[in-house]
Amino acid sequence: MNCPVCSEPMVVLELDQIEVDHCLNCYGVWLDSGELELLLEGSENRERLMEAFKNDRGAAEEKIRCPICSKKMNKILVSGTRRVLIDSCPANDGLWFDSGELLGIVELGDFPGDRRVIDLIRDVFGKKG
Ligand SMILES: [Zn+2]
Ligand SMILES: [Zn+2]
């Protein structure tokens, strides 16, 4: 699969038994549909966080195309202690995170006493996850 931002082939990485696609050029991350929920398992905030996903039709960021179906993806604004703008396939293929956004979302998940997933993402992607 090629990166939806820079069209470079992505590498497959395993995060907690979840396969994610990662671009080594722009450090973006692709998660197939449902994988974010799996990563957020154990978060007390998971449902609140998923409900905080709001379609942002007025977002100024340029739209990118889904790496699976090539449809233009929707901008999704996730608000918490900070705001993160991610991209979501309209056909529900998955989610795209620019560099740093996956870590930003997972940190919003607030894992009480268990920072394993956050540490894992930091380990795998560094500060760029
Ligand atoms: Zn890229
Ligand atoms: Zn798609």
Side-chain angles (χ1 to χ4, degrees), residues 9-76:
M10 294 194 281
V11 297
V12 176
L13 295 176
E14 198 183 294
L15 260 191
D16 203 18
Q17 298 173 15
I18 298 167
E19 285 194 346
V20 305
D21 294 271
H22 179 49
C23 176
L24 296 173
N25 191 50
C26 68
Y27 304 110
V29 181
W30 170 263
L31 294 188
D32 286 328
S33 184
E35 290 181 334
L36 180 63
E37 288 88 336
L38 288 176
L39 271 183
L40 290 172
E41 211 150 76
S43 159
E44 282 194 342
N45 271 347
R46 179 165 77 158
E47 277 175 33
R48 192 152 26 114
L49 186 62
M50 301 309 294
E51 282 166 9
F53 281 43
K54 295 271 182 289
N55 213 328
D56 187 354
R57 292 176 200 286
E61 228 179 69
E62 196 182 333
K63 290 208 170 174
I64 57 177
R65 288 181 185 275
C66 171
I68 292 177
C69 70
S70 302
K71 290 200 174 85
K72 275 192 180 170
M73 298 208 280
N74 297 320
K75 296 290 175 189
I76 303 291

